[in-house]
Amino acid sequence: DKLASTVCTACAVGKVQPDTGKSTCVSCSAGSAIGAVGQAVCVQCDPGTFSNTTGLEACLSCPIGKYSVKNPDTTGAQSCTSCPVGRFSAAVGQPSCLKCDMGSYAA
């Protein structure tokens, strides 16, 4: 026999439940995360961050030399992209790469 429920349990970080009357929570998909308990929806990763797996508490920052953008038709970045030739990123978590100044280059 299953014990009768007397309380509802909040979804853990990295998991949500967007509907009422359910018996489990679902992990946030790649490209999103949630860092609070008891949430109904996951948050899309901001530009400069990514989530390459499910159930993350927070999106990860893109490393130096890479960037990410948020596309309106997706759940957020699932990976970071290397800066193209002639552009650079000197800090983590960048939403774009900068053009090299005159007199300099990036291969």
Side-chain angles (χ1 to χ4, degrees), residues 3 19 26 29 34 41 43 54 82 84-86 88 90-91 95 107:
L3 297 175
D19 299 314
V26 293
S29 61
I34 192 68
V41 293
V43 177
T54 61
S82 293
V85 172
F88 73 101

Side-chain angles (χ1 to χ4, degrees), residues 12-95:
V13 295
K15 296 186 175 198
V16 295
Q17 182 44 261
D19 299 314
T20 59
K22 299 296 180 178
S23 61
T24 60
C25 297
V26 293
S27 293
C28 292
S29 61
S32 65
I34 192 68
V37 298
Q39 300 301 301
V41 293
C42 299
V43 177
Q44 288 186 358
C45 293
D46 287 326
T49 67
F50 73 104
S51 164
N52 59 357
T53 188
T54 61
L56 284 187
E57 176 180 337
C59 295
L60 308 168
S61 294
C62 290
I64 291 173
K66 297 191 174 196
Y67 72 102
S68 72
V69 296
K70 186 194 295 188
N71 296 322
D73 59 339
T74 66
T75 60
Q78 296 180 17
S79 64
C80 299
T81 304
S82 293
C83 292
V85 172
R87 293 178 178 259
F88 73 101
S89 167
V92 298
Q94 296 304 300

